[in-house]
Amino acid sequence: MSSFKKLKGMAGASMVAGAGLVGMMASSARAGVKTSWTNTNGGYLTFHDENKDWAHGFFFSGSNSSVLTDIYSSISEGAIGKTASCTTSVTTFWDCYSYSDAYDGVLGLGVNGNWFDPVGADAVITDYQIDAGTNVDIDTDLDASIKWAFLQNDPVTRGLFTVTNKGATEQSVTFQIYGNWGSDGQGGIINTSNDDQTVDNTDTWVTISDDLVDGANNDPVITTGISGPGSTVDTTVVSLDTSTYDIDYTVTIPAGESRSVVVFHQMSKSITDASAIESNYESGSALSSAGLLAGLSNAERSRVVNYALPKAAETTARRSSSSGGSAGIALMALIAALGVSRRRRV
């Protein structure tokens, strides 16, 4: 547990949030974002859609919603199976769901043993995403950043972890992705992409459950996307059970360039439900087809090294003539027939 830093219930690094972050954290008007208090000393920034069946939480501490003193360095909570009692008056959001306590802190980042802290002054919270800022010089000539996304159309959290090599020579860098599912050692590994109950360095995904029998502990079943075909990095599952995990990615980063690792967690209500979505994590094209790359730009996709990610579909905007439609085409044909040239406006 010594490598798992600032998980829920443990003190995080003291940090005064910047004014821009405070305003975004305090706002409950943003689509999919609500500040949910658990007590007078802190609470959860909840990412959810009122019409969906799940929610994710990000823990922060502070005396009230406008004075924040600490932001956790990993996703703190997840729940699925919304009940009829889930109303806007409920402030402890997991009380709204049949299956909760999915995480005690997941999708944290270490770089060569140095642990990432969100940057209060730089962090930006938008609909369904936290851009946690950049840790400048997290190690020699290395900067690190994180973007956490809470997908609107699936009960999925996605971590995009990026390291930039500012030095004059290439570096071999270890991304350490860590977390705690909060199961207290109950349950077990249900399945892996190798169709067994032991996760190893060749697995593309793993499904864990606090309950070997669905529903006994009222916790979600969790499927984790680790890597896929086309990966150009060495992946090492240092440890992974139903309590904690540490997955290391050894990445070569050329001088002046950036590389990224992307990792996914998806909640399900049952082992049966999980079995229906596991194949979504077997390749970059499968991720894309399932909509799990939504919001990632082509530049971001090109930097990912643990999957070969397809480019996002690009729409070519066509500028219609002022006459529009078939009438415009007919008019252009007539102009051409008359030998009349038009000058392009630069």
Side-chain angles (χ1 to χ4, degrees):
M1 288 295 292
S2 60
S3 66
F4 298 102
K5 190 167 181 284
K6 289 186 301 188
L7 303 178
K8 188 175 65 182
M10 300 171 62
S14 178
M15 173 170 52
V16 178
L21 178 63
V22 170
M24 290 188 178
M25 291 284 281
S27 171
S28 60
R30 303 195 66 84
V33 184
K34 176 185 177 183
T35 302
S36 304
W37 288 98
T38 57
N39 55 54
T40 57
N41 295 317
Y44 285 86
L45 186 68
T46 307
F47 290 80
H48 67 148
D49 186 315
E50 297 291 349
N51 298 317
K52 303 299 183 182
D53 195 35
W54 60 85
H56 290 96
F58 192 84
F59 188 78
F60 61 93
S61 61
S63 59
N64 56 56
S65 60
S66 62
V67 181
L68 306 178
T69 57
D70 181 69
I71 306 164
Y72 270 38
S73 60
S74 56
I75 307 306
S76 307
E77 186 55 88
I80 191 171
K82 189 165 64 174
T83 65
S85 62
C86 191
T87 65
T88 55
S89 63
V90 177
T91 55
T92 306
F93 82 89
W94 57 81
D95 288 345
C96 296
Y97 298 86
S98 298
Y99 303 93
S100 62
D101 194 28
Y103 314 125
D104 272 1
V106 293
L107 297 177
L109 172 66
V111 176
N112 297 339
N114 303 293
W115 307 108
F116 183 92
D117 285 317
V119 183
D122 295 340
V124 175
I125 298 170
T126 54
D127 299 344
Y128 307 102
Q129 181 170 287
I130 298 175
D131 182 339
T134 300
N135 280 192
V136 176
D137 294 325
I138 195 170
D139 201 1
T140 305
D141 289 331
L142 299 175
D143 292 350
S145 62
I146 297 178
K147 285 185 179 179
W148 290 295
F150 309 85
L151 301 194
Q152 184 178 7
N153 294 320
D154 293 283
V156 172
T157 59
R158 183 182 69 210
L160 180 68
F161 310 94
T162 302
V163 175
T164 299
N165 178 8
K166 301 181 295 184
T169 59
E170 71 175 24
Q171 289 203 51
S172 178
V173 178
T174 300
F175 291 56
Q176 297 159 277
I177 311 304
Y178 67 87
N180 186 327
W181 281 300
S183 64
D184 302 317
Q186 302 174 98
I189 294 174
I190 301 301
N191 199 10
T192 70
S193 60
N194 289 326
D195 198 26
D196 57 27
Q197 283 70 53
T198 303
V199 63
D200 62 35
N201 301 341
T202 66
D203 279 307
T204 60
W205 56 263
V206 58
T207 293
I208 66 108
S209 176
D210 289 9
D211 323 311
L212 297 179
V213 178
D214 281 337
N217 292 332
N218 299 112
D219 285 6
V221 179
I222 302 170
T223 299
T224 298
I226 299 171
S227 64
S231 172
T232 59
V233 297
D234 291 329
T235 302
T236 304
V237 180
V238 177
S239 62
L240 192 152
D241 55 30
T242 49
S243 289
T244 61
Y245 66 88
D246 184 349
I247 305 172
D248 289 0
Y249 301 84
T250 303
V251 182
T252 298
I253 307 180
E257 297 189 19
S258 300
R259 295 292 184 268
S260 301
V261 165
V262 64
V263 179
F264 303 81
H265 294 321
Q266 178 160 352
M267 297 183 294
S268 299
K269 297 177 188 176
S270 69
I271 294 170
T272 300
D273 288 351
S275 67
I277 56 88
E278 290 165 340
S279 61
N280 293 339
Y281 296 95
E282 292 186 348
S283 67
S285 58
L287 290 169
S288 180
S289 296
L292 304 181
L293 304 180
L296 288 179
S297 69
N298 283 332
E300 289 171 328
R301 296 179 189 212
S302 68
R303 290 191 288 265
V304 169
V305 291
N306 61 318
Y307 286 96
L309 298 185
K311 288 186 176 181
E314 297 179 352
T315 303
T316 303
R318 294 184 178 181
R319 185 176 301 173
S320 62
S321 69
S322 57
S323 299
S326 58
I329 295 173
L331 177 60
M332 293 300 294
L334 177 60
I335 291 173
L338 294 174
V340 179
S341 64
R342 299 180 66 185
R343 181 178 297 176
R344 288 185 179 180
R345 301 180 69 181
V346 179

